[in-house]
């Protein structure tokens, strides 16, 4: 589905820094988790996939099409979605408006409510609320996932969805991702440090120092992370937080 060939990303400032170095990666599993130490290049990779930034070197292919130079909007039209660490708040836009925009149709209230139910939210409490500061981080994360489901994307990329939310919200997010894993017809990529998210992945990719350190099935990679046999376990912001 998605293939990265010889992808590098260099920050050209006074210090000059190589963030990613010659990454070759195929993403065709239903649920792929990308993990590694803070500053290792994970979020940069996610932004490259989404089209927020362009690689310094290399090509990106989606369903066989070269999308390297395509914008985030053009990639979204092809079926790629991106969820930020901190979801965007929209003053004046209701949850109903947002879901209708995502679905690209004038859904009925009942139709929109079905997507909220998918992420474990009571529709009557949220459907007419504004997507603003009155919503908690966990609520915003689940509403954002509801819009991804409504959009019906072929590839959904989530950048550290656990960031900034409390334990109760995190536990509910795990349930949502488990449901997405079971039901989705597309592919999911999650950037995460969390063991519980890694534990539901089909494939785990470990990135450190801008390079792929290891890649394989959950059965192959997760024990190494838990045993401390990979570099990311020891670096700042280590991979596993239960």
């Amino acid at each position: 589905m998605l293939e990265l060939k010889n992808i590098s990303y260099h920050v050209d400032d006074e210090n000059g820094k190589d963030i990613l170095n010659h990454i070759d990666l195929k993403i065709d599993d239903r649920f792929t988790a990308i993990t590694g130490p803070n500053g290792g290049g994970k979020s940069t990779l996610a932004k490259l996939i989404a089209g927020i930034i362009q690689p310094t070197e290399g090509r990106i292919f989606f369903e066989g099409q070269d999308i390297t130079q395509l914008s985030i909007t053009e990639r979204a039209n092809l079926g790629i979605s991106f969820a930020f660490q901190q979801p965007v708040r929209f003053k004046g836009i209701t949850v109903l408006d947002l879901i209708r925009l995502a679905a690209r149709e004038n859904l009925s209230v009942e139709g929109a409510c079905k997507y909220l139910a998918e992420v474990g939210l009571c529709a009557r409490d949220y459907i007419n609320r504004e997507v603003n500061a009155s919503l908690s981080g966990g609520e915003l994360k689940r509403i954002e996932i509801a819009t991804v489901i409504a959009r019906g994307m072929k590839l959904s990329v989530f950048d550290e969805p656990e960031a900034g939310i409390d334990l109760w919200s995190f536990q509910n997010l795990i349930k949502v991702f488990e449901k997405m894993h079971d039901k989705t017809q597309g592919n999911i990529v999650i950037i995460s440090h969390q063991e519980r998210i890694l534990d539901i992945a089909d494939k785990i990719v470990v990135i450190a120092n801008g390079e792929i350190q290891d890649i394989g099935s959950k059965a192959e990679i997760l024990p190494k992370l838990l045993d401390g046999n990979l570099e990311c376990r020891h670096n700042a912001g280590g991979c596993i937080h239960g």
Side-chain angles (χ1 to χ4, degrees), residues 50-159:
I52 296 171
I53 55 178
Q54 303 293 327
T56 307
E57 181 181 348
R59 315 300 294 176
I60 301 174
F61 296 87
F62 181 63
E63 296 188 321
Q65 177 181 345
D66 188 339
I67 64 169
T68 311
Q69 300 302 320
L70 297 187
S71 68
I72 186 170
T73 300
E74 291 169 320
R75 296 188 198 199
N77 289 334
L78 290 177
I80 299 175
S81 70
F82 180 78
F84 293 88
Q85 285 187 30
Q86 299 299 327
V88 180
R89 299 175 188 268
F90 301 94
K91 187 176 181 180
I93 295 180
T94 67
V95 172
L96 176 59
D97 294 332
L98 196 60
I99 293 176
R100 283 174 171 170
L101 285 169
R104 292 165 290 180
E105 62 177 294
N106 189 27
L107 289 171
S108 66
V109 172
E110 181 182 0
C113 286
K114 289 180 181 178
Y115 292 113
L116 290 176
E118 284 285 321
V119 297
L121 294 176
C122 179
R124 67 174 179 269
D125 294 336
Y126 292 94
I127 198 68
N128 292 315
R129 289 179 65 178
E130 286 191 15
V131 187
N132 58 21
S134 69
L135 295 167
S136 71
E139 290 169 332
L140 278 170
K141 291 283 177 72
R142 285 197 276 170
I143 290 167
E144 184 176 48
I145 294 171
T147 65
V148 171
I149 296 171
R151 180 81 173 173
M153 304 300 268
K154 297 175 183 177
L155 174 65
S156 302
V157 182
F158 297 88
D159 188 7

